[in-house]
Amino acid sequence: MNDKRLLIIEDDTDLREGLSFSFSSDGYRVTEAPTKAEGLREIRKNVYDMVLLDCNLPDGTGFELCREVRSYSSIPMVMLTARDTELDEIQALELGVNDYLSKPFSLGVLKARVKRILQEKTETSRIVTGSLTIDQNTCKVWKQGEKIQLSKLEYRLLLYFIENKNHILSKEQILEKIWDSDGKYVDNNTVSVNISRLRTKIEEDASRPARIKTVHGIGYIWKE
């Protein structure tokens, strides 16, 4: 039984519903989003295995969405577009899209590419850093082999730090990557509180952190 979660971000109702029906029939758990804003909200709020993304959306472009998502997530994305130009394809691939299909496309080909990408993802989804192991497929984290429970916010913070290891991140930079469920910014104090909570779960001694270190007056740094 296929239990992969698929998010379809497409403003063409007929195409979106058709893709949703077809992938659901194959056992995928499908969620639909007709706009960039709703798509981003879903990606932040829930865990998906794959995103099918339209290039042109009512409130922005697939390129913009991809750029934002890639700043904190490696979720696989396939872009679907009516703009059949080499420059668009190059831009999409450089932004981190896993594949690119021009409309009209073969449903069979799309399904085959989705299946291939998901298989490849299974092989490259784990991050090991020190005593921590992170499975990006399931968003699960282990410390010295013991599973630890992180909130979605703590998990995003952890990935953001690891992706920017040995680089100082200001509170403002971190703040830009953190939203609540309504898409509103949180304040600096909330950032500090959540970093403190994350430290208690991943550090050997949260009072003397070795991984997430404070750079006074500037921000924080993840030390490898």
Side-chain angles (χ1 to χ4, degrees):
M1 178 72 179
N2 186 356
D3 62 350
K4 299 297 185 183
R5 296 199 64 182
L6 184 66
L7 175 63
I8 301 174
I9 307 174
E10 167 66 64
D11 64 326
D12 184 320
T13 303
D14 291 339
L15 177 57
R16 186 179 69 249
E17 292 180 351
L19 290 172
S20 178
F21 175 80
S22 184
F23 277 98
S24 295
S25 298
D26 288 346
Y28 290 86
R29 292 182 291 161
V30 181
T31 300
E32 300 177 32
T35 66
K36 173 190 168 188
E38 290 182 51
L40 285 171
R41 192 173 301 124
E42 282 294 329
I43 293 170
R44 297 187 195 107
K45 185 173 63 174
N46 298 303
V47 177
Y48 291 97
D49 296 287
M50 168 76 72
V51 174
L52 300 184
L53 171 65
D54 187 20
C55 181
N56 296 307
L57 296 164
D59 54 345
T61 70
F63 300 121
E64 295 167 347
L65 185 146
C66 180
R67 183 180 293 107
E68 184 166 338
V69 170
R70 279 291 175 261
S71 69
Y72 60 84
S73 173
S74 61
I75 182 173
M77 289 184 277
V78 174
M79 185 172 285
L80 311 174
T81 177
R83 293 161 49 171
D84 185 15
T85 72
E86 182 179 352
L87 287 177
D88 283 339
E89 183 172 0
I90 291 171
Q91 182 181 1
L93 295 173
E94 287 180 343
L95 285 172
V97 168
N98 298 76
D99 213 334
Y100 182 99
L101 282 176
S102 298
K103 302 175 185 177
F105 52 81
S106 161
L107 182 58
V109 169
L110 173 61
K111 287 185 175 182
R113 294 190 180 189
V114 167
K115 183 177 180 180
R116 171 184 58 79
I117 292 168
L118 290 174
Q119 288 174 338
E120 292 173 351
K121 178 191 174 190
T122 301
E123 300 171 359
T124 59
S125 65
R126 289 212 165 192
I127 298 172
V128 178
T129 173
S131 62
L132 296 177
T133 300
I134 303 158
D135 188 332
Q136 295 181 90
N137 277 344
T138 60
C139 297
K140 293 179 181 177
V141 181
W142 293 265
K143 177 184 175 184
Q144 296 180 339
E146 296 291 327
K147 183 179 176 183
I148 58 177
Q149 297 292 335
L150 299 184
S151 69
K152 290 174 183 173
L153 177 57
E154 290 164 350
Y155 179 77
R156 291 204 302 270
L157 274 172
L158 177 61
L159 284 187
Y160 185 48
F161 275 122
I162 291 173
E163 289 166 359
N164 293 276
K165 62 185 178 183
N166 300 320
H167 287 83
I168 297 173
L169 298 173
S170 68
K171 281 191 175 182
E172 289 72 22
Q173 285 176 300
I174 297 169
L175 186 61
E176 290 177 358
K177 305 300 175 184
I178 304 169
W179 293 264
D180 64 16
S181 59
D182 296 321
K184 298 176 182 176
Y185 286 110
V186 295
D187 58 31
N188 280 350
N189 184 59
T190 304
V191 173
S192 301
V193 168
N194 280 278
I195 288 176
S196 177
R197 289 174 180 166
L198 179 58
R199 280 171 166 163
T200 64
K201 297 180 180 182
I202 68 168
E203 297 279 2
E204 297 300 322
D205 181 356
S207 65
R208 300 177 64 185
R211 288 306 186 93
I212 306 175
K213 301 182 77 69
T214 300
V215 182
H216 294 290
I218 302 176
Y220 302 89
I221 186 171
W222 176 274
K223 299 294 289 184
E224 282 287 273

